[in-house]
Short mmCIF file of all heavy atoms in Angstrom, two decimals:
data_model
loop_
_atom_site.label_atom_id
_atom_site.label_comp_id
_atom_site.label_asym_id
_atom_site.label_seq_id
_atom_site.Cartn_x
_atom_site.Cartn_y
_atom_site.Cartn_z
N SER A 94 -4.24 110.18 56.07
CA SER A 94 -3.55 110.20 54.74
C SER A 94 -4.54 110.65 53.63
O SER A 94 -4.04 111.17 52.65
CB SER A 94 -3.10 108.86 54.47
OG SER A 94 -4.12 107.97 54.50
N ALA A 95 -5.88 110.61 53.89
CA ALA A 95 -6.81 111.13 52.90
C ALA A 95 -6.77 112.64 52.78
O ALA A 95 -6.75 113.31 51.73
CB ALA A 95 -8.25 110.74 53.28
N TYR A 96 -6.43 113.35 53.87
CA TYR A 96 -6.25 114.79 53.86
C TYR A 96 -4.91 115.10 53.08
O TYR A 96 -4.87 116.09 52.32
CB TYR A 96 -6.11 115.35 55.29
CG TYR A 96 -5.68 116.79 55.39
CD1 TYR A 96 -6.38 117.87 54.89
CD2 TYR A 96 -4.32 117.09 55.84
CE1 TYR A 96 -5.96 119.19 54.96
CE2 TYR A 96 -3.75 118.25 55.92
CZ TYR A 96 -4.65 119.36 55.45
OH TYR A 96 -4.17 120.56 55.45
N GLU A 97 -4.04 114.29 53.36
CA GLU A 97 -2.61 114.55 52.64
C GLU A 97 -2.84 114.32 51.11
O GLU A 97 -2.34 114.93 50.33
CB GLU A 97 -1.58 113.54 53.21
CG GLU A 97 -1.28 113.66 54.68
CD GLU A 97 -0.52 114.79 55.11
OE1 GLU A 97 0.26 115.26 54.25
OE2 GLU A 97 -0.89 115.40 56.17
N ALA A 98 -3.65 113.26 50.83
CA ALA A 98 -3.98 112.96 49.42
C ALA A 98 -4.64 114.17 48.70
O ALA A 98 -4.52 114.50 47.71
CB ALA A 98 -4.73 111.66 49.35
N GLN A 99 -5.57 114.85 49.45
CA GLN A 99 -6.24 116.00 48.97
C GLN A 99 -5.13 117.09 48.80
O GLN A 99 -5.25 117.84 47.69
CB GLN A 99 -7.26 116.62 50.04
CG GLN A 99 -8.48 115.75 50.19
CD GLN A 99 -9.33 116.20 51.33
OE1 GLN A 99 -9.05 117.16 51.93
NE2 GLN A 99 -10.35 115.37 51.61
N LEU A 100 -4.14 117.21 49.54
CA LEU A 100 -3.25 118.23 49.37
C LEU A 100 -2.41 118.04 47.98
O LEU A 100 -2.23 118.93 47.25
CB LEU A 100 -2.13 118.26 50.43
CG LEU A 100 -2.67 118.76 51.94
CD1 LEU A 100 -1.53 118.78 52.91
CD2 LEU A 100 -3.41 120.14 51.81
N ILE A 101 -2.20 116.71 47.74
CA ILE A 101 -1.45 116.37 46.53
C ILE A 101 -2.17 116.75 45.41
O ILE A 101 -1.91 117.32 44.36
CB ILE A 101 -0.95 114.80 46.57
CG1 ILE A 101 0.02 114.64 47.68
CG2 ILE A 101 -0.44 114.42 45.22
CD1 ILE A 101 0.29 113.06 47.97
N ASN A 102 -3.39 116.25 45.39
CA ASN A 102 -4.39 116.34 44.14
C ASN A 102 -4.71 117.76 43.92
O ASN A 102 -5.10 118.15 42.82
CB ASN A 102 -5.59 115.44 44.42
CG ASN A 102 -5.27 113.96 44.30
OD1 ASN A 102 -4.41 113.67 43.64
ND2 ASN A 102 -6.16 113.15 44.86
N SER A 103 -4.78 118.63 44.99
CA SER A 103 -5.14 120.05 44.78
C SER A 103 -3.93 120.88 44.64
O SER A 103 -4.04 122.18 44.25
CB SER A 103 -5.90 120.54 45.90
OG SER A 103 -5.19 120.49 47.06
N GLY A 104 -2.64 120.35 44.68
CA GLY A 104 -1.54 121.11 44.61
C GLY A 104 -1.37 122.12 45.65
O GLY A 104 -0.56 123.08 45.61
N ARG A 105 -2.01 121.99 46.81
CA ARG A 105 -1.83 123.00 47.90
C ARG A 105 -1.04 122.33 49.02
O ARG A 105 -0.74 121.09 48.92
CB ARG A 105 -3.35 123.19 48.50
CG ARG A 105 -4.22 123.75 47.49
CD ARG A 105 -5.46 124.50 48.35
NE ARG A 105 -6.19 125.24 47.38
CZ ARG A 105 -7.37 124.85 46.85
NH1 ARG A 105 -7.76 123.68 47.08
NH2 ARG A 105 -8.04 125.58 46.10
N SER A 106 -0.61 123.15 49.88
CA SER A 106 0.14 122.90 50.99
C SER A 106 -0.65 122.76 52.27
O SER A 106 -1.87 123.53 52.25
CB SER A 106 1.29 123.70 51.28
OG SER A 106 2.23 123.82 50.10
N TYR A 107 -0.13 122.29 53.42
CA TYR A 107 -0.87 122.17 54.68
C TYR A 107 -1.12 123.63 55.17
O TYR A 107 -0.25 124.49 55.12
CB TYR A 107 -0.10 121.47 55.65
CG TYR A 107 -0.48 121.59 57.16
CD1 TYR A 107 -1.47 120.72 57.69
CD2 TYR A 107 -0.22 122.69 57.90
CE1 TYR A 107 -2.01 120.80 58.91
CE2 TYR A 107 -0.75 122.89 59.20
CZ TYR A 107 -1.57 121.89 59.62
OH TYR A 107 -2.03 122.04 60.96
N THR A 108 -2.48 123.78 55.64
CA THR A 108 -2.76 125.05 56.29
C THR A 108 -3.51 124.68 57.61
O THR A 108 -4.25 123.60 57.47
CB THR A 108 -3.62 126.03 55.54
OG1 THR A 108 -4.77 125.54 55.12
CG2 THR A 108 -2.90 126.46 54.27
N SER A 109 -3.51 125.37 58.57
CA SER A 109 -4.32 124.97 59.78
C SER A 109 -5.78 125.07 59.50
O SER A 109 -6.58 124.33 59.99
CB SER A 109 -3.95 125.84 61.04
OG SER A 109 -4.04 127.24 60.60
N GLU A 110 -6.19 126.09 58.59
CA GLU A 110 -7.57 126.13 58.09
C GLU A 110 -8.13 124.81 57.47
O GLU A 110 -9.11 124.23 57.79
CB GLU A 110 -7.83 127.36 57.26
CG GLU A 110 -7.69 128.62 57.88
CD GLU A 110 -6.30 129.11 58.23
OE1 GLU A 110 -5.28 128.54 57.40
OE2 GLU A 110 -5.94 130.03 58.88
N SER A 111 -7.27 124.42 56.45
CA SER A 111 -7.81 123.35 55.82
C SER A 111 -7.73 121.97 56.61
O SER A 111 -8.65 121.12 56.51
CB SER A 111 -6.93 123.00 54.42
OG SER A 111 -5.66 122.64 54.73
N PHE A 112 -6.78 121.99 57.56
CA PHE A 112 -6.73 120.86 58.40
C PHE A 112 -7.92 120.85 59.41
O PHE A 112 -8.51 119.76 59.68
CB PHE A 112 -5.42 120.77 59.25
CG PHE A 112 -5.26 119.41 59.92
CD1 PHE A 112 -5.15 118.22 59.37
CD2 PHE A 112 -5.28 119.43 61.44
CE1 PHE A 112 -5.02 117.03 59.98
CE2 PHE A 112 -5.12 118.22 62.08
CZ PHE A 112 -5.04 117.03 61.47
N ALA A 113 -8.32 121.97 59.79
CA ALA A 113 -9.50 122.11 60.71
C ALA A 113 -10.70 121.69 60.07
O ALA A 113 -11.57 120.91 60.63
CB ALA A 113 -9.65 123.58 61.21
N ALA A 114 -10.97 122.08 58.77
CA ALA A 114 -12.04 121.72 58.04
C ALA A 114 -12.00 120.09 57.86
O ALA A 114 -13.12 119.46 57.99
CB ALA A 114 -12.01 122.30 56.57
N TRP A 115 -10.80 119.54 57.66
CA TRP A 115 -10.79 118.05 57.49
C TRP A 115 -11.14 117.39 58.89
O TRP A 115 -11.83 116.42 58.90
CB TRP A 115 -9.32 117.67 57.17
CG TRP A 115 -8.95 116.22 57.50
CD1 TRP A 115 -8.21 115.73 58.55
CD2 TRP A 115 -9.41 115.05 56.82
NE1 TRP A 115 -8.07 114.32 58.58
CE2 TRP A 115 -8.89 113.98 57.50
CE3 TRP A 115 -10.18 114.78 55.67
CZ2 TRP A 115 -9.05 112.60 57.05
CZ3 TRP A 115 -10.50 113.53 55.35
CH2 TRP A 115 -9.89 112.43 55.92
N CYS A 116 -10.61 117.97 60.04
CA CYS A 116 -11.03 117.41 61.31
C CYS A 116 -12.55 117.49 61.54
O CYS A 116 -13.06 116.55 62.16
CB CYS A 116 -10.34 118.31 62.40
SG CYS A 116 -8.53 118.07 62.48
N LYS A 117 -13.12 118.43 61.11
CA LYS A 117 -14.66 118.65 61.32
C LYS A 117 -15.35 117.60 60.57
O LYS A 117 -16.50 117.11 61.07
CB LYS A 117 -14.99 120.06 60.66
CG LYS A 117 -16.27 120.51 61.22
CD LYS A 117 -16.51 122.10 60.91
CE LYS A 117 -17.60 122.55 61.87
NZ LYS A 117 -17.33 122.30 63.33
N GLU A 118 -14.84 117.06 59.53
CA GLU A 118 -15.44 115.90 58.94
C GLU A 118 -15.49 114.67 59.75
O GLU A 118 -16.32 113.69 59.42
CB GLU A 118 -14.84 115.62 57.50
CG GLU A 118 -15.12 116.72 56.47
CD GLU A 118 -14.38 116.34 55.10
OE1 GLU A 118 -14.61 115.26 54.63
OE2 GLU A 118 -13.60 117.14 54.51
N ALA A 119 -14.48 114.64 60.62
CA ALA A 119 -14.32 113.39 61.57
C ALA A 119 -14.37 112.21 60.89
O ALA A 119 -14.99 111.09 61.18
CB ALA A 119 -15.56 113.46 62.54
N ARG A 120 -13.69 112.00 59.64
CA ARG A 120 -13.64 110.82 58.90
C ARG A 120 -12.35 110.20 58.77
O ARG A 120 -12.08 109.37 57.88
CB ARG A 120 -14.54 110.87 57.60
CG ARG A 120 -13.78 111.97 56.61
CD ARG A 120 -14.49 111.93 55.30
NE ARG A 120 -13.94 112.77 54.28
CZ ARG A 120 -13.07 112.27 53.43
NH1 ARG A 120 -12.69 111.07 53.36
NH2 ARG A 120 -12.59 113.27 52.49
N ALA A 121 -11.41 110.54 59.63
CA ALA A 121 -10.10 110.06 59.50
C ALA A 121 -10.22 108.43 59.84
O ALA A 121 -11.16 108.08 60.55
CB ALA A 121 -9.22 110.59 60.56
N GLY A 122 -9.48 107.69 59.31
CA GLY A 122 -9.43 106.27 59.53
C GLY A 122 -8.51 105.75 60.67
O GLY A 122 -8.07 106.60 61.49
N ILE A 123 -8.48 104.45 60.85
CA ILE A 123 -7.62 103.92 61.83
C ILE A 123 -6.25 103.51 61.54
O ILE A 123 -5.96 102.86 60.48
CB ILE A 123 -8.29 102.71 62.43
CG1 ILE A 123 -9.76 103.04 62.87
CG2 ILE A 123 -7.52 102.19 63.65
CD1 ILE A 123 -10.61 101.77 63.20
N VAL A 124 -5.27 103.88 62.35
CA VAL A 124 -3.87 103.46 62.05
C VAL A 124 -3.94 101.87 62.38
O VAL A 124 -4.36 101.57 63.52
CB VAL A 124 -2.86 104.19 62.91
CG1 VAL A 124 -1.45 103.48 62.86
CG2 VAL A 124 -2.68 105.56 62.41
N PRO A 125 -3.64 101.03 61.52
CA PRO A 125 -3.75 99.55 61.84
C PRO A 125 -3.07 99.15 63.16
O PRO A 125 -1.97 99.47 63.36
CB PRO A 125 -2.95 98.90 60.65
CG PRO A 125 -3.17 99.82 59.38
CD PRO A 125 -3.12 101.35 60.13
N GLY A 126 -3.86 98.38 63.85
CA GLY A 126 -3.36 97.87 65.19
C GLY A 126 -3.88 98.82 66.36
O GLY A 126 -3.80 98.30 67.53
N ALA A 127 -4.02 100.06 66.06
CA ALA A 127 -4.33 101.03 67.20
C ALA A 127 -5.61 100.65 67.95
O ALA A 127 -5.67 100.74 69.24
CB ALA A 127 -4.37 102.46 66.74
N LEU A 128 -6.68 100.39 67.22
CA LEU A 128 -7.93 100.22 67.92
C LEU A 128 -7.84 98.89 68.79
O LEU A 128 -8.43 98.91 70.01
CB LEU A 128 -9.06 100.14 66.77
CG LEU A 128 -10.45 99.96 67.43
CD1 LEU A 128 -10.82 101.01 68.33
CD2 LEU A 128 -11.49 99.81 66.39
N LYS A 129 -7.29 97.89 68.24
CA LYS A 129 -7.24 96.58 68.91
C LYS A 129 -6.43 96.77 70.24
O LYS A 129 -6.82 96.30 71.28
CB LYS A 129 -6.68 95.50 68.07
CG LYS A 129 -6.66 94.19 68.62
CD LYS A 129 -5.99 93.04 67.64
CE LYS A 129 -5.90 91.75 68.38
NZ LYS A 129 -4.96 90.85 67.73
N PHE A 130 -5.31 97.50 70.08
CA PHE A 130 -4.42 97.74 71.22
C PHE A 130 -5.17 98.46 72.32
O PHE A 130 -5.24 98.12 73.49
CB PHE A 130 -3.17 98.42 70.81
CG PHE A 130 -2.33 98.97 72.02
CD1 PHE A 130 -1.43 98.07 72.56
CD2 PHE A 130 -2.47 100.21 72.52
CE1 PHE A 130 -0.70 98.53 73.73
CE2 PHE A 130 -1.89 100.65 73.58
CZ PHE A 130 -0.93 99.85 74.15
N CYS A 131 -5.90 99.59 71.87
CA CYS A 131 -6.60 100.49 72.85
C CYS A 131 -7.73 99.74 73.51
O CYS A 131 -7.88 99.88 74.84
CB CYS A 131 -6.99 101.80 72.30
SG CYS A 131 -5.68 102.93 71.79
N THR A 132 -8.31 99.00 72.81
CA THR A 132 -9.46 98.26 73.40
C THR A 132 -9.12 97.13 74.44
O THR A 132 -9.70 97.16 75.40
CB THR A 132 -10.41 97.50 72.18
OG1 THR A 132 -10.72 98.63 71.19
CG2 THR A 132 -11.66 96.99 72.62
N ALA A 133 -8.09 96.49 73.96
CA ALA A 133 -7.56 95.45 74.94
C ALA A 133 -6.92 96.11 76.20
O ALA A 133 -7.14 95.58 77.24
CB ALA A 133 -6.43 94.54 74.24
N ALA A 134 -6.27 97.16 76.09
CA ALA A 134 -5.63 97.77 77.18
C ALA A 134 -6.80 98.35 78.13
O ALA A 134 -6.72 98.25 79.35
CB ALA A 134 -4.77 99.01 76.77
N ARG A 135 -7.80 98.93 77.60
CA ARG A 135 -8.97 99.31 78.42
C ARG A 135 -9.61 98.25 79.18
O ARG A 135 -10.05 98.41 80.32
CB ARG A 135 -9.97 100.16 77.51
CG ARG A 135 -11.20 100.72 78.32
CD ARG A 135 -10.61 102.04 78.95
NE ARG A 135 -11.65 102.44 79.89
CZ ARG A 135 -11.78 101.92 81.13
NH1 ARG A 135 -11.09 100.97 81.57
NH2 ARG A 135 -12.72 102.41 82.00
#
Side-chain angles (χ1 to χ4, degrees):
S94 61
Y96 167 74
E97 304 289 324
Q99 286 172 8
L100 294 183
I101 297 169
N102 286 335
S103 63
R105 296 198 173 99
S106 302
Y107 168 91
T108 62
S109 51
E110 291 78 17
S111 67
F112 188 66
W115 161 256
C116 292
K117 202 163 195 58
E118 290 182 52
R120 64 176 183 93
I123 304 171
V124 170
L128 180 60
K129 189 180 167 197
F130 170 83
C131 290
T132 308
R135 183 69 193 85

